[in-house]
Amino acid sequence: MKLEQPKSLSQMVAVRLRKAIIDGEIGLGQNIAEEKLAESFGVSRTPVRDALIQLEQQGLVVIQSKRGSYVFTPTAQDVVRICEYRKMIEVNAMAFAVKRNKAALTKRLREVTDAMGTAMRQSDAVTYGQLDTDFHQAFVDWSGNPYVQDAYQLVSGQIAALRTHLTRPLEHLRELSFGEHQSFIELVAAEDFAGFQHLMTAHVDRTGEIYVAALSEGEDGSDQISV
């Protein structure tokens, strides 16, 4: 994902807090204390409040009047809807990117996949998850359509956070995931849009089922999610 350099204190706080949520340093549903956050970043509470508002707009934070701010807590229905939205955006973004920037897209996908292979061999789940996010973001980044990019931004943070928080412990699925990402590149190179849509649907639907199962296990306490 292409990140802009923060232009203000509030943006700086938002970028760092967003990363902490996505990387799993702050758990799903965890309270975010403004005062402690301001002290940690060496800023006043005003830019912290502004940053939380920014992250609320991205779906990563829930601000409750008189109760405080919390990292979002997805429901099974949220996961289903995010997956539906994701398939709609990513499949069409791939078609735009192949039409407008195929060479650049393919190059980027190969670079990310090579790095994913290294992370997998090193059992580096955090880096693998970050690269997984970068891989899917590439379709949007190279789509050549700013409206598609803005639309994906509405859920990209939540997708990345779910990926980290709910699939990090599932190392046995990483090899399957990696193989599918390699197949995505072949489908892009062949401009096989039907094949790409079929694989993306299966890929995202399976991921969604894993997320829903992980949320259910965390709720009943039988297998608490490691974050």
Side-chain angles (χ1 to χ4, degrees):
M1 179 180 178
K2 299 176 181 177
L3 294 177
E4 295 182 0
Q5 290 299 316
K7 299 176 182 178
S8 67
L9 282 176
S10 62
Q11 287 178 314
M12 179 272 289
V13 174
V15 167
R16 290 174 63 181
L17 184 55
R18 185 180 193 274
K19 186 176 187 302
I21 294 171
I22 289 174
D23 289 351
E25 296 173 22
I26 306 175
L28 298 178
Q30 185 172 325
N31 176 253
I32 303 172
E34 289 185 13
E35 188 172 345
K36 290 184 179 179
L37 199 59
E39 183 179 345
S40 171
F41 289 140
V43 299
S44 68
R45 294 180 69 170
T46 298
V48 170
R49 290 194 189 104
D50 291 342
L52 291 171
I53 291 172
Q54 291 179 44
L55 295 180
E56 183 181 39
Q57 293 169 347
Q58 297 175 26
L60 286 171
V61 169
V62 176
I63 301 175
Q64 299 180 349
S65 179
K66 298 182 181 179
R67 293 191 59 188
S69 301
Y70 301 81
V71 177
F72 81 109
T73 304
T75 64
Q77 187 177 50
D78 291 331
V79 169
V80 170
R81 289 174 174 172
I82 287 172
C83 287
E84 290 174 347
Y85 188 83
R86 182 181 169 191
K87 287 182 288 185
M88 178 183 68
I89 295 291
E90 290 189 32
V91 169
N92 286 284
M94 174 271 195
F96 296 144
V98 168
K99 179 180 179 181
R100 297 166 180 161
N101 297 297
K102 181 180 176 181
L105 171 65
T106 304
K107 181 175 182 291
R108 176 58 176 161
L109 294 177
R110 293 191 189 283
E111 290 172 349
V112 175
T113 305
D114 287 345
M116 289 173 74
T118 299
M120 185 175 64
R121 289 188 293 273
Q122 295 175 347
S123 298
D124 186 345
V126 173
T127 298
Y128 187 91
Q130 293 169 343
L131 291 165
D132 195 342
T133 294
D134 291 344
F135 185 96
H136 290 273
Q137 184 69 40
F139 300 120
V140 176
D141 287 343
W142 293 106
S143 68
N145 189 319
Y147 296 103
V148 170
Q149 293 163 356
D150 288 346
Y152 195 66
Q153 182 68 18
L154 292 174
V155 296
S156 61
Q158 290 178 306
I159 293 169
L162 289 171
R163 182 179 287 123
T164 300
H165 288 272
L166 301 183
T167 62
R168 181 186 293 177
L170 307 178
E171 186 174 353
H172 63 285
L173 294 176
R174 214 155 288 137
E175 188 171 344
L176 173 61
S177 164
F178 182 68
E180 289 179 340
H181 285 83
Q182 291 178 310
S183 295
F184 280 131
I185 298 176
E186 295 173 4
L187 293 167
V188 167
E191 299 187 19
D192 184 349
F193 301 111
F196 182 91
Q197 182 173 21
H198 178 76
L199 181 58
M200 181 62 75
T201 298
H203 182 80
V204 173
D205 285 347
R206 188 188 67 253
T207 301
E209 290 170 2
I210 292 169
Y211 292 166
V212 170
L215 287 170
S216 298
E217 290 169 354
E219 286 172 0
D220 66 23
S222 62
D223 187 11
Q224 291 297 317
I225 304 305
S226 170
V227 297

